[in-house]
Amino acid sequence: MIFRRVLSVAAAAAALLPLAPGAAEAASRATRFATFNASLNRNVEGQLVSDLSTPNNTQAKVIAEIIQRARPDVLLINEFDYDANGTALRLFHDNYLSVGQGGAQPITYRYRYTAPSNTGIASGFDLNNNGSVVTTPGAPGYGDDAFGFGVFPGQYGMAVYSKYPIDVRGIRTFQKFLWKDMPGAVLPDDPATPEPADWYSPDELKVFRLSSKSHWDVPVRVGHRTVHFLASHPTPPTFDGAEDRNGRRNHDEIRLWADYTNPGRGGYIYDDRGRRGGLPAGEPFVIAGDQNADPSDGDSYQGAIHQLLDHPKIDSGFAPSSAGATEAAALQGGANATHKGDPKYDTADFADTAPGNLRADYVLPSKRLQVAGGGVFWPVSSDPLSRLTGVFPFPSSDHRLVWLDVKQ
């Protein structure tokens, strides 16, 4: 398995790298958890590895500098193309993160993790119901018929970097959990037929996976305590039709973590090794990722993100914000002018016509953890560091790094 290989490589290099913060240090300071949809995805398989093979890729340098300036202890990167050997994971660390960028200090992550993504894996079915089944990677329509949208297997994958040890044996992945096995799943309906919830055929539902990428429970040992880093990247609730198949899937991808972290509600969940059940009661956790759902605006289905924001076990009282987001909404206007939510909480700079800028990226801790602060890396235009976020076409990503500091 790739995560074993990646972590063993990191462990073998321990003599060359600074030690992870010890138990005493971890107990005395806040731990910074972060998520960043870094747009380190490419349109050709293997291109990301090629781009990261030298230290000169312009976008990767900017992404690395943002991370170096935010300095998270535990980081989820969304839209990081997966490769089976973990080569991109290693190259981004060695050629970019561990090398100072733009005057920032290098940052070292001794522990790293990646695993397969459903993106770009052919389903063998006509999932968009356009009358054809596309199984050739890169062919028109291939992404719509894959388990998760992608033109090749692993496009738009995920990666975790950590200064703290990862409990490899304790990792749980939910890549292959079937949507139909979620009780009360909001399956999409074909509006052209009288039958309910029939967009996907019975045969398609036998193989259709809930996660558009994957869901990972990555236990991280912070001092004397294990914190479960719950990573995911639900599909955008757009690019579909009246059946709202993506909006409904986004809702239930978010719901998986809501049920997983609520004792008594996650009994139906099974991981990729066949182990059933949710997170044991009392276990501290941090949910991180581009959830593609705003609390007040956008196209999400039935306020999907409120399944987490209003969750009895999650502390959502502190919302990371930035002055740059407020400024951008005012300058860009368009759909932003009609939004109900406060723009200071936005984390993504989307098209001004629709949907406008949104809060899409979240770091949400369990109530057993103490929030000490947080923020969104979105400098105002007069700040010299605004060169790292910029305006379209962005030098880094259309999303911003979001972090939260928590104490045990």
Side-chain angles (χ1 to χ4, degrees):
M1 296 292 290
I2 184 59
F3 64 83
R4 292 184 183 275
R5 181 172 180 180
V6 169
L7 291 178
S8 64
V9 169
L16 303 177
L17 300 176
L19 294 177
E25 180 185 352
S28 65
R29 70 177 184 90
T31 302
R32 178 162 293 183
F33 293 88
T35 186
F36 189 11
N37 182 332
S39 299
L40 283 170
N41 57 280
R42 300 296 185 260
N43 291 325
V44 177
E45 188 170 12
Q47 185 63 52
L48 182 62
V49 170
S50 178
D51 286 351
L52 299 179
S53 294
T54 73
N56 301 317
N57 182 266
T58 302
Q59 185 210 13
K61 288 169 70 71
V62 175
I63 293 294
E65 184 177 347
I66 291 172
I67 294 168
Q68 289 169 354
R69 293 192 180 280
R71 308 201 73 77
D73 298 303
V74 184
L75 167 68
L76 168 66
I77 298 182
N78 289 134
E79 296 197 4
F80 189 99
D81 291 347
Y82 169 79
D83 66 273
N85 293 320
T87 305
L89 189 74
R90 174 181 58 82
L91 290 173
F92 183 57
H93 180 272
D94 294 351
N95 287 343
Y96 293 91
L97 293 175
S98 63
V99 178
Q101 308 289 343
Q105 292 298 310
I107 192 165
T108 298
Y109 293 102
R110 180 176 169 184
Y111 305 94
R112 311 158 206 167
Y113 174 76
T114 191
S117 171
N118 283 327
T119 45
I121 296 179
S123 70
F125 289 94
D126 178 19
L127 297 182
N128 63 352
N129 288 352
N130 71 345
S132 64
V133 178
V134 185
T135 57
T136 303
Y142 176 80
D144 288 326
D145 287 341
F147 283 124
F149 186 86
V151 299
F152 60 82
Q155 189 185 30
Y156 306 111
M158 305 191 296
V160 170
Y161 290 91
S162 177
K163 294 182 180 180
Y164 294 101
I166 293 174
D167 175 11
V168 180
R169 294 181 181 274
I171 292 173
R172 300 181 70 187
T173 64
F174 304 89
Q175 180 194 6
K176 298 179 181 179
F177 178 84
L178 299 181
W179 193 357
K180 72 177 181 63
D181 291 337
M182 173 177 277
V186 290
L187 297 170
D189 176 64
D190 185 347
T193 68
E195 292 78 18
D198 65 340
W199 178 263
Y200 298 116
S201 70
D203 286 340
E204 289 169 343
L205 289 176
K206 288 178 182 178
V207 301
F208 195 97
R209 301 170 182 182
L210 171 62
S211 184
S212 55
K213 285 83 178 175
S214 191
H215 284 66
W216 301 340
D217 177 347
V218 181
V220 178
R221 189 69 179 174
V222 181
H224 295 295
R225 198 174 193 181
T226 295
V227 178
H228 293 263
F229 195 50
L230 306 182
S232 62
H233 183 190
T235 192
T238 53
F239 311 113
D240 51 18
E243 82 290 343
D244 198 17
R245 66 185 187 276
N246 290 332
R248 289 166 176 263
R249 189 181 192 182
N250 171 275
H251 177 281
D252 281 357
E253 286 194 72
I254 293 171
R255 181 188 155 191
L256 186 75
W257 282 148
D259 290 348
Y260 186 74
T261 56
N262 196 343
R265 297 193 60 178
Y268 69 89
I269 300 172
Y270 53 85
D271 61 29
D272 293 331
R273 292 186 290 180
R275 177 186 168 193
R276 289 187 172 269
L279 196 64
E283 290 288 309
F285 61 85
V286 173
I287 297 173
D290 174 4
Q291 304 295 329
N292 271 312
D294 184 282
S296 306
D297 302 296
D299 300 318
S300 63
Y301 178 80
Q302 293 188 351
I305 196 61
H306 285 282
Q307 296 174 104
L308 300 181
L309 296 181
D310 302 336
H311 194 288
K313 300 297 182 181
I314 294 174
D315 181 1
S316 62
F318 178 88
S321 63
S322 71
T326 301
E327 178 190 57
L331 291 175
Q332 295 167 8
N336 297 292
T338 64
H339 281 182
K340 300 175 182 177
D342 191 327
K344 72 179 182 180
Y345 301 122
D346 290 344
T347 67
D349 191 343
F350 293 146
D352 303 331
T353 52
N357 303 341
L358 298 173
R359 183 184 181 190
D361 309 84
Y362 297 81
V363 182
L364 298 170
S366 61
K367 288 185 175 178
R368 296 183 66 88
L369 297 172
Q370 178 185 351
V371 177
V376 179
F377 189 91
W378 197 333
V380 296
S381 58
S382 60
D383 189 321
L385 293 182
S386 68
R387 62 182 170 79
L388 301 174
T389 52
V391 295
F392 184 83
F394 306 104
S396 49
S397 171
D398 55 352
H399 289 255
R400 306 293 179 249
L401 185 148
V402 179
W403 77 88
L404 201 72
D405 295 334
V406 300
K407 294 184 177 180
Q408 301 185 49

